[in-house]
Amino acid sequence: GQNIDQPTEMTATEGAIVQINCTYQTSGFNGLFWYQQHAGEAPTFLSYNVLDGLEEKGRFSSFLSRSKGYSYLLLKELQMKDSASYLCAVRDQDRDDKIIFGKGTRLHILP
Amino acid sequence: NAGVTQTPKFQVLKTGQSMTLQCAQDMNHEYMSWYRQDPGMGLRLIHYSVGAGITDQGEVPNGYNVSRSTTEDFPLRLLSAAPSQTSVYFCASSYSKDRGNTEAFFGQGTRLTVV
């Protein structure tokens, strides 16, 4: 089966850095996604990792370690608009490449 | 470029009624899926399709039917609505795995209440 774990909630300060962790267990790992979802809106794509290492995209970076079943999303220079839920999702090639989501991490940014 | 169009945006049903949530995409994506999102539960996969004529069950398929007669459309049918199906529903589409990075594009969601 699949199991994806991430913290339920986190709080950080405007201008700071925050790291959101995601651990997963899956039989046929074939990529990990991070999405951002503001309250009442649809999720939007942030990043995709299929190989080990760090992918940087502006203020956001995502890291993957396949051997450890671990990923993190790093947000730098936090802004108030970064207050949102961050969803970790894994694609399983043993199951027709279904994409399964974790429960999401609600990030609160304090001024 | 419309992307993923999902209708309706809001719906109230009585227990036992049936209805269809519509989803259409204009990006020629092979992969389409339906999720429901409940507080504290994240996005849970209901049904998905890897191409026209092919559908399969996700994590929580009971009480829902899907069909994929064309590449563009992937409707979700509630056969006999129950209060437990009160939720926010999202349709998503993406290219198949063979194209590499397959980010999913989501519709705007349907907020369904069953009374």
Side-chain angles (χ1 to χ4, degrees):
Chain A
Q2 290 169 312
N3 191 34
I4 301 171
D5 289 315
Q6 50 183 131
T8 304
E9 282 190 277
M10 298 182 70
T11 301
T13 305
E14 190 176 16
I17 298 173
V18 71
Q19 178 175 310
I20 302 174
N21 296 325
C22 172
T23 58
Y24 64 88
Q25 295 173 314
T26 184
S27 53
F29 176 82
N30 194 22
L32 185 143
F33 301 82
W34 283 97
Y35 285 83
Q36 180 190 59
Q37 185 178 27
H38 286 100
E41 297 183 7
T44 55
F45 171 80
L46 289 178
S47 69
Y48 171 72
N49 295 71
V50 66
L51 300 176
D52 289 352
L54 187 68
E55 296 278 344
E56 297 187 78
K57 194 183 292 186
R59 294 189 299 115
F60 292 5
S61 303
S62 58
F63 171 82
L64 175 68
S65 169
R66 289 173 298 172
S67 62
K68 295 182 179 178
Y70 168 69
S71 173
Y72 67 73
L73 180 69
L74 191 72
L75 291 74
K76 303 176 186 175
E77 301 169 17
L78 286 170
Q79 302 174 10
M80 296 304 293
K81 68 178 182 179
D82 297 330
S83 291
S85 290
Y86 292 86
L87 314 179
C88 174
V90 171
R91 186 166 65 191
D92 187 345
Q93 66 179 2
D94 287 348
R95 298 189 177 193
D96 276 343
D97 285 308
K98 287 192 295 189
I99 298 174
I100 303 298
F101 283 79
K103 294 182 180 180
T105 298
R106 181 86 179 106
L107 178 63
H108 305 275
I109 307 297
L110 303 177
Chain B
N1 189 354
V4 180
T5 303
Q6 189 181 333
T7 57
K9 198 167 184 179
F10 300 95
Q11 183 71 49
V12 178
L13 287 178
K14 294 182 178 179
T15 298
Q17 285 185 315
S18 62
M19 78 158 295
T20 299
L21 279 63
Q22 301 292 343
C23 178
Q25 52 90 12
D26 62 358
M27 296 172 281
N28 204 29
H29 285 166
E30 297 91 356
Y31 191 97
M32 296 186 75
S33 52
W34 278 100
Y35 293 89
R36 60 177 288 174
Q37 188 172 38
D38 303 291
M41 298 297 293
L43 286 163
R44 291 185 292 171
L45 183 64
I46 304 171
H47 285 286
Y48 66 101
S49 169
V50 299
I54 305 169
T55 63
D56 208 343
Q57 297 181 348
E59 303 168 277
V60 288
N62 292 339
Y64 308 95
N65 265 357
V66 292
S67 60
R68 184 93 182 270
S69 56
T70 66
T71 300
E72 294 78 19
D73 299 298
F74 191 46
L76 177 72
R77 297 182 186 84
L78 278 70
L79 308 173
S80 177
S84 60
Q85 293 179 303
T86 293
S87 187
V88 179
Y89 292 83
F90 287 102
C91 176
S93 76
S94 66
Y95 286 118
S96 72
K97 62 176 181 177
D98 299 330
R99 304 216 202 188
N101 180 358
T102 57
E103 65 171 281
F105 293 82
F106 284 81
Q108 286 305 297
T110 297
R111 188 171 296 274
L112 175 68
T113 302
V114 182
V115 298

